[in-house]
Amino acid sequence: MSVEHQRAITNVITKCDLVIQLRNQLIIENQYLIKKAIKIKFHTKNRQKKDELFSIGIDGLMLAIDKYNPNKGLSFSSYAISKIIFHFIDIFFWFIW
């Protein structure tokens, strides 16, 4: 393997690491959206249920981050909350079947 090829691979790995770091940062900064979606859709005081819903909501938030397109004119928070809620519905649908 040539030195140029090794540098190219190192650059790609570095860029991938940066993307992962940015995605993780977005997840951390937007966790409040999960809590907001839980409050909108579910009216539970049970801490254990909220924790389970939060875990499902993390998946929904990651989907929102991956699929968000700012060119469509919708704010990220609006898009993410709807994506999280629809993810809850999808998960519960599969549990019913």
Side-chain angles (χ1 to χ4, degrees):
M1 187 181 310
S2 70
V3 173
E4 289 177 19
H5 194 244
Q6 288 176 340
R7 283 187 189 141
I9 291 172
T10 301
N11 286 338
V12 168
I13 291 170
T14 302
K15 288 178 184 176
C16 289
D17 288 343
L18 180 60
V19 168
I20 291 168
Q21 289 173 0
L22 290 172
R23 185 173 187 255
N24 289 342
Q25 188 63 34
L26 282 171
I27 291 167
I28 291 167
E29 290 174 0
N30 290 288
Q31 287 182 4
Y32 76 96
L33 296 172
I34 300 168
K35 293 175 184 176
K36 195 171 183 178
I38 291 169
K39 193 173 185 179
I40 290 169
K41 193 68 182 165
F42 305 97
H43 304 286
T44 181
K45 302 269 186 216
N46 185 313
R47 184 72 194 156
Q48 184 177 357
K49 286 183 182 179
K50 283 184 178 180
D51 289 344
E52 291 170 7
L53 290 168
F54 191 83
S55 295
I56 295 168
I58 288 284
D59 291 336
L61 179 59
M62 289 190 292
L63 288 170
I65 290 169
D66 292 343
K67 296 188 183 287
Y68 178 67
N69 182 352
N71 297 326
K72 296 217 174 175
L74 191 62
S75 71
F76 176 74
S77 59
S78 296
Y79 177 78
I81 288 172
S82 65
K83 197 72 170 168
I84 292 164
I85 289 172
F86 282 116
H87 188 66
F88 287 140
I89 293 167
D90 284 345
I91 294 298
F92 296 139
F93 175 79
W94 286 109
F95 275 114
I96 291 170
W97 285 93

